[in-house]
Amino acid sequence: MNIVTKATIDDVAALAGVSMKTVSRVVNNEPNVRPATREKVEAAIRELSYRPNQSARSLAGNRSYLLGLIYGHPSAHYVLDIQEGVLEICRPQRYELLVHPAIHRDPNLIDEVTDLILEKRVDGVMLTPPLSDNMAVITLLKKMNIPFVRVAPTENKSASPYVETNDEEASYDMTCQLITQGHTRIGFICGHPDHRAMSLRYEGYKAALIENELPLLPDLVAQGENSFESGEMCAKQLLGLPDRPTAIFAANDDMAAGVMMVAHQMGVKIPAQLSVAGFDDTPVAHQIWPSLTTIRQPIRQMAKKATDLLLKQLKGKDIQLPASMLNSSIIVRESTGPLVAVKPGKPK
Amino acid sequence: MNIVTKATIDDVAALAGVSMKTVSRVVNNEPNVRPATREKVEAAIRELSYRPNQSARSLAGNRSYLLGLIYGHPSAHYVLDIQEGVLEICRPQRYELLVHPAIHRDPNLIDEVTDLILEKRVDGVMLTPPLSDNMAVITLLKKMNIPFVRVAPTENKSASPYVETNDEEASYDMTCQLITQGHTRIGFICGHPDHRAMSLRYEGYKAALIENELPLLPDLVAQGENSFESGEMCAKQLLGLPDRPTAIFAANDDMAAGVMMVAHQMGVKIPAQLSVAGFDDTPVAHQIWPSLTTIRQPIRQMAKKATDLLLKQLKGKDIQLPASMLNSSIIVRESTGPLVAVKPGKPK
DNA sequence: ATGAAAGCGCTAACAT
DNA sequence: ATGTTAGCGCTTTCAT
């Protein structure tokens, strides 16, 4: 029973001496309002601390002003960055965000998304990896005829507007850098096969080897599944080789951290005896010792751009450029470098 | 123009041959519907793929079915855990979550919260540290007469229902454990002073020293501010002491990781020459080398319990127990242990 | 440039 | 146990 919460559009109209519709025009920044009228209305709005009721707006206007973010589980850091990027753009336009954690391949996923659309009535949806490539969801979204954008899809790019980054190129550059430092036996740890964007990182690695006329040795390529633990497993495999690699490039930082753990346990010096590189620049990358050379994606920028694309769709604007590319960059730290002869008993 | 999205409560009522109100009763699980009638209605709902329109429900019922989460920035991991805990409980009860990142001490914060309540019309609010102790926000929420819960508040506990954990006790236990391992010079790195919950961790440390008749040496207590970098600074200070500590307990994992980084750079062996303990069990704790002994809070559990408390308030149920305590636990890893004489030239 | 009237799809309050 | 009647506070459509 707070007076603050009570003002309605009628109250404002009465106080300003105009019709309800005129207030509506002012609130929604519609044209055809004389500046003098606009000011009168704005004064009344201020006076009453009027705030339009979203539920009423949604019901009458047949849209919810809600965006849905459906995310699979890359990492907390990634998700939060995306989320905050989205909010930064949509809030000023009076859209809010509904967050939906999803399990890739969960049989309930389709029902949940249907619910998001039918019951919560989100106006648009954003998909992040690995869901950006989930055909079941994409098909559903299309069928429901609801606007959506995808972050970093690798397949069916024509299905929706999207934002991507040059993972493959960055991966190529990283590999080249290792080669330049004198490494010829460079191991690679692949990401989870369900996470298609990960495979582009492998493509970049391959391309660099070929470009530099280095052999692609199957023994030096291990199949991880994104977790720290899988990185450890792969590291044991690669470092246990009779002729082990002098550098290991992992498709994400968690796995790279796993490699470093195993290296430490085996007494292998980084970077003197082994260079290690990761991908993502998660917080662990600079907190680990030695700090990890990795690749940083412009996650927040991608989210902002994607939100922009989505909102433009909602407003019916033609998107001339339904796709957008943002650059990732290599962050060189201490875990990579040329090989160094290690004299036993005299570390550093 | 999709048929799937079109069914309304009237359509269902017509198909089931009952009134709108009866459908409403079924949908909302209200009593006073004969089982036979209920089934007829449910069949019609299924047949039409009917989903109630949230906007209409909200407008008519004068509630939004939206919860607001206002979070300051502890860590991505913490926030996401809270968020998913909230969703796990509120979704089944058909409540959704609006996420609001906030900067503690931001002058706009009050306006933003007002907006969340007046315009987005959230039915209830959850506050996490350090906002749980932000009096400006608490006062506003009270004034607006909106239900709210707090996670881990340290002050004004009677202001709202809340959920807490035994930080102080866990911190006490950790310190005792270090003492048991033979450490008598134990350093402590405090958290950011704005983050009041952090100071309880210091209290636990102090209590353990006193209990064990160890002196509380001011030189061994450093003032950090939660970040990895501040942990490094404090470590340099503590390890630079003429008579340096043999163990350092940091008020969070990020700072503990900073300590380990500095120790590595100085050639100090962990745990042989220095034990290090953290607090939070963030992902970095088990990815770092050596893995970090730390304390795990039941974050998700706290979020679930807090959501439960909030929803009960919304439903007008009396909360007999407006506060709830959940236990944190020590996770012992490799970074702590008794001192070991190190023979130069023979590591491990 | 402004206004009047008609809903949007539900829930609440009150019948029956 | 079920139905009837009014709105909730906006946007839309169509006048003026």
Side-chain angles (χ1 to χ4, degrees):
Chain A
M1 212 50 186
N2 199 317
I3 46 160
V4 180
T5 89
K6 280 280 156 194
T8 74
I9 198 170
D10 284 303
D11 302 331
V12 176
L15 182 59
V18 298
S19 77
M20 204 168 129
K21 178 65 223 189
T22 299
V23 177
S24 173
R25 278 192 256 264
V26 170
V27 169
N28 294 299
N29 284 313
E30 284 170 33
N32 298 335
V33 182
R34 245 184 313 164
T37 313
R38 184 175 294 271
E39 270 169 39
K40 251 192 327 191
V41 172
E42 277 165 355
I45 289 178
R46 252 176 281 118
E47 166 116 18
L48 298 172
S49 296
Y50 167 72
R51 306 289 189 112
N53 179 322
Q54 280 298 333
S55 306
R57 284 186 87 205
S58 302
L59 181 57
N62 193 31
R63 65 204 112 108
S64 63
Y65 298 93
L66 252 27
L67 264 28
L69 172 67
I70 308 177
Y71 67 87
H73 216 108
S75 78
H77 182 247
Y78 189 94
V79 174
L80 216 66
D81 234 23
I82 289 276
Q83 206 170 285
E84 296 187 355
V86 173
L87 289 172
E88 195 175 327
I89 299 300
C90 76
R91 280 264 166 70
Q93 305 194 38
R94 302 166 77 199
Y95 275 81
E96 280 291 340
L97 181 68
L98 248 39
V99 182
H100 199 99
I103 297 159
H104 193 50
R105 304 199 147 169
D106 180 345
N108 287 325
L109 182 53
I110 292 301
D111 276 351
E112 289 174 7
V113 176
T114 306
D115 189 273
L116 206 57
I117 297 169
L118 255 34
E119 188 158 337
K120 309 311 176 194
R121 254 117 178 136
V122 296
D123 293 335
V125 168
M126 181 180 300
L127 259 30
T128 67
L131 282 141
S132 299
D133 286 321
N134 186 312
M135 273 315 287
V137 173
I138 293 171
T139 306
L140 176 68
L141 259 19
K142 284 251 166 221
K143 197 180 81 191
M144 305 274 271
N145 198 29
I146 185 164
F148 67 103
V149 258
R150 289 176 295 158
V151 173
T154 64
E155 295 167 342
N156 295 84
K157 295 202 177 180
S158 60
S160 76
Y162 64 89
V163 175
E164 63 182 345
T165 177
N166 57 341
D167 269 25
E168 185 171 345
E169 192 182 325
S171 184
Y172 171 88
D173 290 345
M174 178 70 88
T175 311
C176 286
Q177 193 178 84
L178 291 169
I179 294 171
T180 304
Q181 289 170 339
H183 297 280
T184 54
R185 293 184 59 81
I186 303 172
F188 190 86
I189 300 180
C190 301
H192 194 108
D194 270 4
H195 201 141
R196 287 279 291 120
M198 287 283 179
S199 62
L200 292 179
R201 302 179 182 183
Y202 176 57
E203 295 303 323
Y205 160 80
K206 271 204 319 208
L209 293 187
I210 291 167
E211 186 75 21
N212 288 276
E213 296 178 352
L214 250 32
L216 173 64
L217 306 169
D219 274 0
L220 295 187
V221 178
Q223 179 64 58
E225 43 183 34
N226 297 5
S227 67
F228 174 79
E229 288 74 17
S230 75
E232 290 181 308
M233 300 274 291
C234 293
K236 281 175 190 155
Q237 178 187 327
L238 295 175
L239 295 177
L241 250 29
D243 190 8
R244 72 177 192 219
T246 62
I248 295 181
F249 181 12
N252 77 10
D253 287 353
D254 287 352
M255 295 191 293
V259 173
M260 289 179 56
M261 177 66 88
V262 170
H264 285 133
Q265 287 165 350
M266 293 176 64
V268 175
K269 300 274 178 282
I270 298 170
Q273 300 172 288
L274 178 73
S275 281
V276 179
F279 207 118
D280 285 343
D281 196 29
T282 53
V284 75
H286 78 277
Q287 299 187 357
I288 212 169
W289 179 81
S291 58
L292 184 66
T293 293
T294 186
I295 290 163
R296 180 187 295 159
Q297 291 188 323
I299 304 174
R300 207 187 184 97
Q301 293 302 328
M302 287 168 78
K304 287 166 71 171
K305 184 68 201 172
T307 308
D308 184 59
L309 250 30
L310 184 56
L311 289 174
K312 283 208 175 100
Q313 265 190 92
L314 295 188
K315 292 178 179 165
K317 287 183 197 157
D318 257 340
I319 306 179
Q320 322 84 316
L321 209 68
S324 184
M325 164 78 84
L326 292 163
N327 287 326
S328 290
S329 47
I330 297 187
I331 312 281
V332 178
R333 296 209 181 87
E334 305 164 347
S335 66
T336 53
L339 244 44
V340 174
V342 177
K343 292 167 209 154
K346 203 165 173 265
K348 173 131 199 187
Chain B
M1 212 47 189
N2 199 318
I3 47 158
V4 180
T5 91
K6 281 276 156 196
T8 73
I9 197 169
D10 284 304
D11 301 332
V12 177
L15 182 60
V18 298
S19 78
M20 203 168 130
K21 179 65 225 189
T22 300
V23 178
S24 174
R25 278 192 256 263
V26 171
V27 169
N28 295 298
N29 282 314
E30 284 170 33
N32 297 335
V33 182
R34 241 184 317 164
T37 313
R38 185 176 295 272
E39 268 168 40
K40 251 192 328 193
V41 173
E42 277 165 355
I45 289 177
R46 253 176 281 118
E47 165 114 23
L48 298 172
S49 296
Y50 166 72
R51 308 290 189 112
N53 179 323
Q54 279 298 333
S55 307
R57 278 202 350 134
S58 303
L59 182 59
N62 192 34
R63 63 204 115 109
S64 63
Y65 298 93
L66 252 27
L67 265 27
L69 171 67
I70 309 179
Y71 67 88
H73 216 108
S75 78
H77 182 246
Y78 190 93
V79 174
L80 215 65
D81 234 21
I82 290 277
Q83 205 171 287
E84 296 186 356
V86 173
L87 289 172
E88 195 174 329
I89 299 301
C90 76
R91 279 262 167 71
Q93 306 196 36
R94 301 166 76 197
Y95 275 80
E96 280 292 338
L97 181 68
L98 248 39
V99 183
H100 198 99
I103 297 161
H104 194 51
R105 304 200 149 167
D106 181 344
N108 288 325
L109 181 53
I110 293 302
D111 277 351
E112 288 173 8
V113 176
T114 306
D115 189 273
L116 205 57
I117 298 169
L118 256 33
E119 188 158 336
K120 308 311 175 194
R121 249 110 181 146
V122 295
D123 293 334
V125 169
M126 181 180 302
L127 259 30
T128 67
L131 282 141
S132 300
D133 286 321
N134 186 312
M135 272 315 287
V137 173
I138 293 170
T139 306
L140 176 68
L141 259 21
K142 285 251 164 217
K143 198 181 79 191
M144 306 274 270
N145 198 30
I146 183 164
F148 67 103
V149 258
R150 289 177 295 157
V151 173
T154 65
E155 296 167 342
N156 293 85
K157 295 201 176 179
S158 61
S160 75
Y162 64 89
V163 175
E164 62 182 344
T165 177
N166 57 342
D167 269 25
E168 186 171 344
E169 192 182 326
S171 183
Y172 170 89
D173 290 345
M174 177 70 87
T175 310
C176 286
Q177 191 177 86
L178 291 169
I179 294 170
T180 304
Q181 288 172 338
H183 298 278
T184 55
R185 293 184 58 80
I186 303 172
F188 190 85
I189 300 181
C190 300
H192 193 109
D194 271 4
H195 202 140
R196 287 279 290 118
M198 287 283 179
S199 61
L200 292 178
R201 301 178 183 184
Y202 176 57
E203 296 302 324
Y205 160 79
K206 272 204 317 208
L209 293 187
I210 291 167
E211 186 75 20
N212 288 277
E213 297 179 353
L214 251 30
L216 173 65
L217 304 170
D219 274 359
L220 294 188
V221 178
Q223 178 64 58
E225 43 185 34
N226 296 4
S227 67
F228 174 79
E229 288 74 18
S230 76
E232 289 182 308
M233 299 276 290
C234 293
K236 281 176 190 154
Q237 179 187 326
L238 296 175
L239 295 177
L241 251 28
D243 190 8
R244 73 177 191 219
T246 61
I248 295 180
F249 181 12
N252 77 10
D253 287 352
D254 286 352
M255 295 191 292
V259 172
M260 290 180 53
M261 177 66 87
V262 170
H264 284 134
Q265 287 165 350
M266 292 175 66
V268 175
K269 301 273 178 283
I270 299 169
Q273 299 173 287
L274 177 73
S275 281
V276 179
F279 208 119
D280 285 343
D281 196 28
T282 54
V284 74
H286 78 276
Q287 298 189 356
I288 212 168
W289 180 81
S291 58
L292 184 67
T293 292
T294 186
I295 290 163
R296 181 188 295 160
Q297 292 188 322
I299 303 174
R300 208 187 183 98
Q301 293 301 328
M302 287 168 77
K304 287 166 71 170
K305 185 67 199 171
T307 308
D308 185 57
L309 252 27
L310 184 55
L311 290 174
K312 284 209 175 99
Q313 265 190 92
L314 296 188
K315 291 178 178 166
K317 288 184 198 156
D318 258 340
I319 306 178
Q320 322 84 317
L321 210 67
S324 183
M325 164 77 86
L326 293 164
N327 287 327
S328 290
S329 48
I330 297 187
I331 311 282
V332 178
R333 295 210 180 86
E334 305 163 348
S335 66
T336 53
L339 245 45
V340 173
V342 177
K343 292 167 207 151
K346 203 165 174 269
K348 172 127 198 187

